[in-house]
Amino acid sequence: MSATSPLWQRFSQSRRRWLTALIVLPAAILGLVLHHFLVNDLPLGLEILTLTVFVLLFAWISAGFWTAVVGFLLLVRARGDTVPGAPEARRQAPRPGTRVAVLMPIYNEDVARVAAGLQATYRSLERAGALQYFEFFILSDTRDPAVWLREELAWSTLCQQLDAFGRIHYRRRPVNNKAKSGNVADFCRRWGKAFEYMVVLDADSVMSGETLYQMLEMMEGNPQVGILQTNPVAVNRETLYARLQQFAQQLYGPLFSAGLRFWQLGDGHYIGHNAMIRTAPFTEFCALPVLPGKAPLGGALLSHDFVEAALMARAGWEVWFLPELGGSYEEVPPTLLDDLKRDRRWAQGNLQHLRLLAGEGLQSAHRFLFINGAMSFLAAPLWGLFLCLGALASWQMWRQGSLADPLAWTGSGDGDPLPLWLIGITVLFLLGPKLLAVLWIAWRGAGRQFGGLPRLLLSMVLESVFSILMAPVRMVFHSLFVIQTLRGRSVQWGAQVREDAETSWTTAWQTFGWCTAAGVGVAALVYPFVGGWHFLWLLPVVGGLALAVPLAAWTSRPSWGRWARAHGLFLIPEEVQRPRELLDLDAGVAHALPRFAGDAFVEAVVDPRFNALHSALQRDRSGLWGRCAGLVHKALAEGPGCLSRRERNLILSDRQSMLTLHRAVWSLQDPQQLAAWGLGRDPGDGRWAPSER
């Protein structure tokens, strides 16, 4: 590592000063405008609170707006950010013997989808001629014994199909402490010294071999870089909700990504997957701290990725975001309900990050990322508070005669239209990036990648309508998440929903019924006071809440998503021209893995080949044998159905127990006991054999 500051830091400092000015100055100016409007009509305390919340919110949306504007200008120039020291400018062929570990941490996942994604990435590396540098590790934290055994079968099948024994590895942790971050840390301790780099994937990730090889070249040519983060794009979902998310990310995402890269440079972010990491400094410097106090704001960090990037940068290593590097794919939650479940965990994790702001040695860019991540959830209660303050201010001004009715924020008593200017500017900052994204697509003639320019425009309008209607629902739920976290209610990471599962009407009513009731109630209460014209200003809020239940149910339907696709709506480039990696993924999912004829545990005990495979992946645990011996006798005497999930996991975790149980089952003579293990008499020779094999 060089003792001198890299050249890009001078650019980043200048750019971030400009960003700070672009955020602070408009918010301050508009705050003064609002102060001019409120100063004579509101008590001082109410005015100060209203102005504070407004300035905070406008500064937050201003950061996103200027990021999109800068991204638009960069993309229109059709040139990447050629700042000195950018890793794209310095590539070097990998040295002989360079080893990269591709990690796929999984937890009770759809095994067929995991295997298909890994296979697609493996074959892509093979086509790119770079396979000799890469090895794959399936790192399981699965607790369900049936899923665990299917993972082993999938690993074995993949190794056979790809001739990849010794190149694709499988390990299941007996204790899944600290979830995904703990799984990756466990790999670093056990095998990290053998691999100079590692690529961390999610269970739904797919990456092209060409992209992985380019990242390896950049790592080799830039020894000061600790993390290279790609920009994974969302693909493959069919529910209407997920298609809306995919479309929005693909259309608007490039602007924000290019802008983020412009501001961040070598102090970039890390999102926890689809990134290449230099293993040694990650192992040495990126161990996650345990916050003092109890969860949810104390204890183990629930969101690890931003913190790991900050720790890497604090140790003097660079973290770069590579938005122009394609071939990186992921999948999004299929429904609004699943998205909010994920947001609940993110809310707790991002609020924990605020406790790290005073950490010694952290770069200012990473402190800003902590604040921005927390604001993505704190903004919700702030918007709610601002709406309440606005209603209270209007009521106060109506009582003083400044407004014609108590909720009409359409101008002051003397006809001053400044509040409309504020609303217009706020709407421009919120919706302007969407218009810039469409303008950029039209500028480069890429409308056909989204089904043609007319369908693109219609899709953008419809997506904006859905976003506006869902915004109040997100606002109330994010506010609840913040309140629950601050009140000490903690959550943990669980298995993710990876398939296109629908939200039933019953579930929608149970989850969102109170939102619908609140929206209808507020509309009925407010409409008599404000009348038809002024009620239109409140319609997006009360209308979105009132429609919460049908929106949650309807947008979860894959049939609606397929209908939209058939009519050219919400198309994304990967659907217009399917990349080879995604074609391989489709084929891998369609080609079902071998399945168990019955109970997976029984199969692992009885089948000689599968028993040998499973036992070879375990080790003798002397501490377990004393506990498992009684369970083995219990299973022999009463059959496998008497074992609980926990008891099965104990037996499966001990090699000696599995081998002993296998031999004992095949030594049974009692017909009823044999039948309990799926063994019956072969009608050909009268010997005992698997009854349905």
Side-chain angles (χ1 to χ4, degrees), residues 407-422:
L407 294 176
W409 269 59
T410 58
S412 63
D414 58 1
D416 187 356
L418 284 179
L420 284 179
W421 294 5
L422 293 179

mmCIF file of all heavy atoms in Angstrom, residues 407-422:
data_model
loop_
_atom_site.group_PDB
_atom_site.id
_atom_site.type_symbol
_atom_site.label_atom_id
_atom_site.label_comp_id
_atom_site.label_asym_id
_atom_site.label_seq_id
_atom_site.Cartn_x
_atom_site.Cartn_y
_atom_site.Cartn_z
ATOM 1 N N LEU A 407 -57.709 22.656 5.478
ATOM 2 C CA LEU A 407 -56.709 21.749 4.929
ATOM 3 C C LEU A 407 -56.273 22.158 3.537
ATOM 4 O O LEU A 407 -55.726 21.361 2.786
ATOM 5 C CB LEU A 407 -57.256 20.316 4.902
ATOM 6 C CG LEU A 407 -57.505 19.684 6.273
ATOM 7 C CD1 LEU A 407 -58.144 18.314 6.100
ATOM 8 C CD2 LEU A 407 -56.226 19.559 7.063
ATOM 9 N N ALA A 408 -56.494 23.416 3.172
ATOM 10 C CA ALA A 408 -56.207 23.848 1.799
ATOM 11 C C ALA A 408 -54.869 24.554 1.727
ATOM 12 O O ALA A 408 -54.783 25.758 1.869
ATOM 13 C CB ALA A 408 -57.312 24.771 1.303
ATOM 14 N N TRP A 409 -53.822 23.797 1.505
ATOM 15 C CA TRP A 409 -52.493 24.389 1.335
ATOM 16 C C TRP A 409 -52.313 24.770 -0.131
ATOM 17 O O TRP A 409 -51.476 24.222 -0.837
ATOM 18 C CB TRP A 409 -51.417 23.390 1.758
ATOM 19 C CG TRP A 409 -51.047 23.508 3.180
ATOM 20 C CD1 TRP A 409 -51.864 23.379 4.246
ATOM 21 C CD2 TRP A 409 -49.753 23.781 3.688
ATOM 22 N NE1 TRP A 409 -51.178 23.553 5.407
ATOM 23 C CE2 TRP A 409 -49.865 23.800 5.098
ATOM 24 C CE3 TRP A 409 -48.510 24.019 3.109
ATOM 25 C CZ2 TRP A 409 -48.780 24.044 5.928
ATOM 26 C CZ3 TRP A 409 -47.427 24.254 3.932
ATOM 27 C CH2 TRP A 409 -47.565 24.278 5.334
ATOM 28 N N THR A 410 -53.121 25.697 -0.615
ATOM 29 C CA THR A 410 -53.037 26.084 -2.027
ATOM 30 C C THR A 410 -52.650 27.540 -2.194
ATOM 31 O O THR A 410 -52.628 28.052 -3.296
ATOM 32 C CB THR A 410 -54.391 25.854 -2.717
ATOM 33 O OG1 THR A 410 -55.398 26.604 -2.029
ATOM 34 C CG2 THR A 410 -54.755 24.382 -2.690
ATOM 35 N N GLY A 411 -52.342 28.207 -1.102
ATOM 36 C CA GLY A 411 -51.942 29.606 -1.197
ATOM 37 C C GLY A 411 -52.327 30.337 0.063
ATOM 38 O O GLY A 411 -53.135 29.884 0.851
ATOM 39 N N SER A 412 -51.751 31.470 0.282
ATOM 40 C CA SER A 412 -52.055 32.242 1.472
ATOM 41 C C SER A 412 -53.290 33.089 1.243
ATOM 42 O O SER A 412 -53.851 33.133 0.165
ATOM 43 C CB SER A 412 -50.853 33.131 1.816
ATOM 44 O OG SER A 412 -50.628 34.060 0.775
ATOM 45 N N GLY A 413 -53.689 33.748 2.294
ATOM 46 C CA GLY A 413 -54.908 34.524 2.209
ATOM 47 C C GLY A 413 -54.858 35.629 1.193
ATOM 48 O O GLY A 413 -55.862 36.032 0.641
ATOM 49 N N ASP A 414 -53.688 36.197 0.895
ATOM 50 C CA ASP A 414 -53.606 37.284 -0.076
ATOM 51 C C ASP A 414 -53.245 36.791 -1.471
ATOM 52 O O ASP A 414 -52.831 37.563 -2.324
ATOM 53 C CB ASP A 414 -52.572 38.318 0.392
ATOM 54 C CG ASP A 414 -51.190 37.680 0.578
ATOM 55 O OD1 ASP A 414 -51.068 36.471 0.326
ATOM 56 O OD2 ASP A 414 -50.265 38.417 0.974
ATOM 57 N N GLY A 415 -53.386 35.485 -1.702
ATOM 58 C CA GLY A 415 -53.180 34.926 -3.039
ATOM 59 C C GLY A 415 -51.742 34.587 -3.347
ATOM 60 O O GLY A 415 -51.410 34.261 -4.476
ATOM 61 N N ASP A 416 -50.859 34.650 -2.374
ATOM 62 C CA ASP A 416 -49.458 34.309 -2.600
ATOM 63 C C ASP A 416 -49.342 32.838 -2.984
ATOM 64 O O ASP A 416 -49.735 31.964 -2.215
ATOM 65 C CB ASP A 416 -48.679 34.571 -1.303
ATOM 66 C CG ASP A 416 -47.185 34.410 -1.506
ATOM 67 O OD1 ASP A 416 -46.782 34.025 -2.610
ATOM 68 O OD2 ASP A 416 -46.447 34.669 -0.546
ATOM 69 N N PRO A 417 -48.787 32.501 -4.185
ATOM 70 C CA PRO A 417 -48.759 31.111 -4.638
ATOM 71 C C PRO A 417 -47.497 30.358 -4.266
ATOM 72 O O PRO A 417 -47.247 29.292 -4.802
ATOM 73 C CB PRO A 417 -48.838 31.273 -6.161
ATOM 74 C CG PRO A 417 -48.077 32.533 -6.431
ATOM 75 C CD PRO A 417 -48.336 33.426 -5.235
ATOM 76 N N LEU A 418 -46.673 30.891 -3.376
ATOM 77 C CA LEU A 418 -45.396 30.249 -3.100
ATOM 78 C C LEU A 418 -45.516 28.793 -2.662
ATOM 79 O O LEU A 418 -44.686 27.970 -3.056
ATOM 80 C CB LEU A 418 -44.634 31.056 -2.054
ATOM 81 C CG LEU A 418 -43.981 32.341 -2.570
ATOM 82 C CD1 LEU A 418 -43.274 33.051 -1.429
ATOM 83 C CD2 LEU A 418 -42.996 32.032 -3.684
ATOM 84 N N PRO A 419 -46.490 28.392 -1.840
ATOM 85 C CA PRO A 419 -46.585 26.977 -1.489
ATOM 86 C C PRO A 419 -46.721 26.072 -2.709
ATOM 87 O O PRO A 419 -46.214 24.954 -2.701
ATOM 88 C CB PRO A 419 -47.824 26.918 -0.603
ATOM 89 C CG PRO A 419 -47.886 28.264 0.018
ATOM 90 C CD PRO A 419 -47.433 29.203 -1.068
ATOM 91 N N LEU A 420 -47.404 26.533 -3.753
ATOM 92 C CA LEU A 420 -47.485 25.733 -4.967
ATOM 93 C C LEU A 420 -46.116 25.596 -5.616
ATOM 94 O O LEU A 420 -45.789 24.558 -6.199
ATOM 95 C CB LEU A 420 -48.469 26.362 -5.948
ATOM 96 C CG LEU A 420 -49.955 26.166 -5.635
ATOM 97 C CD1 LEU A 420 -50.809 26.851 -6.678
ATOM 98 C CD2 LEU A 420 -50.298 24.696 -5.557
ATOM 99 N N TRP A 421 -45.302 26.630 -5.528
ATOM 100 C CA TRP A 421 -43.938 26.514 -6.042
ATOM 101 C C TRP A 421 -43.176 25.427 -5.278
ATOM 102 O O TRP A 421 -42.470 24.617 -5.875
ATOM 103 C CB TRP A 421 -43.187 27.836 -5.865
ATOM 104 C CG TRP A 421 -43.702 28.968 -6.677
ATOM 105 C CD1 TRP A 421 -44.812 28.985 -7.489
ATOM 106 C CD2 TRP A 421 -43.118 30.260 -6.759
ATOM 107 N NE1 TRP A 421 -44.959 30.199 -8.065
ATOM 108 C CE2 TRP A 421 -43.925 31.020 -7.637
ATOM 109 C CE3 TRP A 421 -42.008 30.851 -6.181
ATOM 110 C CZ2 TRP A 421 -43.648 32.337 -7.953
ATOM 111 C CZ3 TRP A 421 -41.717 32.163 -6.482
ATOM 112 C CH2 TRP A 421 -42.536 32.901 -7.364
ATOM 113 N N LEU A 422 -43.347 25.431 -3.974
ATOM 114 C CA LEU A 422 -42.666 24.422 -3.175
ATOM 115 C C LEU A 422 -43.105 23.022 -3.564
ATOM 116 O O LEU A 422 -42.294 22.098 -3.690
ATOM 117 C CB LEU A 422 -42.936 24.658 -1.684
ATOM 118 C CG LEU A 422 -42.349 25.933 -1.074
ATOM 119 C CD1 LEU A 422 -42.720 26.018 0.395
ATOM 120 C CD2 LEU A 422 -40.849 25.967 -1.242
#
